[in-house]
Amino acid sequence: MTWSEMQPLLTQACSETLTMMIWSTLIAVAVGLPLGILLVLTDRGGLLQNIVANKVLGQIVNIGRSMPFIILMVALMSFTRWVTGTTIGTTAAIVPLAIGGIPFFARLVETAVREVDGGLVEAVQAMGGNTWTIVRKVLIPEALPSLIASTTTTIIALIGYSAMAGTVGGGGLGDLAVRYGYQRFETELMWIIVGILAVVISLIQFAGDFAARSLHGRGGRSGPAPKLRLLKATEPAAADISKVA
């Protein structure tokens, strides 16, 4: 196969992979972020302590994370058809990609939020801040560098998932690699696809690391913080109040 024959195939496949990655990441972040925060807030000692709700949410996340993506795609075929009207193609692949990414990102968010300095939470509580204020003014801003790194990790994982989606007609670079690189023995095309994926993932990782380091340099946490303790404070330290202010 000549380069002139490969180019339109690669262009279309890259466009499909990009579409799957963008939409599935947006959905995973939009749902996974509040889910991860809820896992912290409803935990024992949390601002919204509810052990039953926490266990239920935790089990849902654990089940989602434990299921191999290829099995998840098959299990969600009926739901995917109900949502998109089909089980084949880029649009259909976004559904299992997003659902697979939500629990993955939620656990990363939970870990990031738990690293926030509990003294800042206690300071805002002592000044009369409610739960929403604490989430908006303390938890998310303080955990932002870690959240950026978590988003980067999620994007890279979803690119890998999208390649697997291509093996069952999901489109994108994975589909191209299977149809031409494997079934038609176009080894050169296969290695070009591998190279494209390696370059894309490296660029995403670099951009994510740069953004996280920049946020650290602008006043983010400079080192490891104590585990988050969402308990009421009696008297906030002056240093903590100045940080929030």
Side-chain angles (χ1 to χ4, degrees):
M1 181 180 287
T2 63
W3 172 249
S4 60
E5 293 173 321
M6 293 181 190
Q7 190 173 8
L9 294 174
L10 288 169
T11 301
Q12 181 180 355
C14 288
S15 174
E16 291 172 349
T17 296
L18 184 64
T19 300
M20 288 188 285
M21 181 192 71
I22 290 175
W23 283 105
S24 59
T25 299
L26 289 174
I27 297 170
V29 171
V31 180
L33 179 62
L35 181 57
I37 293 174
L38 275 175
L39 285 170
V40 177
L41 296 179
T42 58
D43 201 2
R44 194 177 303 277
L47 293 172
L48 303 175
Q49 178 175 314
N50 189 321
I51 303 304
V52 174
N54 183 266
K55 295 298 181 184
V56 171
L57 289 175
Q59 281 300 109
I60 293 173
V61 170
N62 289 339
I63 292 171
R65 289 186 65 201
S66 65
M67 192 173 296
F69 180 71
I70 194 72
I71 296 176
L72 181 66
M73 284 190 67
V74 176
L76 290 173
M77 276 187 173
S78 298
F79 179 72
T80 300
R81 184 181 291 109
W82 178 74
V83 173
T84 65
T86 181
T87 58
I88 299 174
T90 302
T91 304
I94 292 172
V95 176
L97 281 170
I99 293 176
I102 288 170
F104 183 85
F105 185 67
R107 280 300 184 193
L108 295 177
V109 170
E110 181 188 12
T111 302
V113 172
R114 287 189 186 279
E115 292 176 356
V116 175
D117 189 348
L120 297 177
V121 176
E122 295 169 355
V124 175
Q125 281 183 309
M127 291 187 292
N130 57 23
T131 302
W132 170 241
T133 301
I134 291 171
V135 170
R136 188 166 55 93
K137 295 290 189 180
V138 179
L139 298 184
I140 292 178
E142 287 295 309
L144 195 55
S146 295
L147 292 177
I148 294 294
S150 300
T151 304
T152 303
T153 302
T154 302
I155 292 173
I156 293 173
L158 288 174
I159 291 176
Y161 289 169
S162 71
M164 282 189 279
T167 64
V168 291
L173 291 169
D175 179 57
L176 188 63
V178 170
R179 286 192 294 113
Y180 287 87
Y182 177 70
Q183 295 176 350
R184 302 186 187 184
F185 303 103
E186 296 286 350
T187 308
E188 184 180 355
L189 180 60
M190 173 75 81
W191 284 112
I192 291 175
I193 293 171
V194 171
I196 290 173
L197 289 172
V199 170
V200 169
I201 288 173
S202 297
L203 290 174
I204 291 172
Q205 188 67 61
F206 174 79
D209 291 344
F210 178 79
R213 284 196 301 268
S214 298
L215 287 171
H216 270 297
R218 293 179 184 178
R221 295 191 307 274
S222 57
K227 185 176 179 180
L228 179 62
R229 293 175 290 106
L230 298 176
L231 303 175
K232 283 209 168 186
T234 53
E235 219 173 273
D240 290 334
I241 297 178
S242 64
K243 281 186 184 179
V244 178

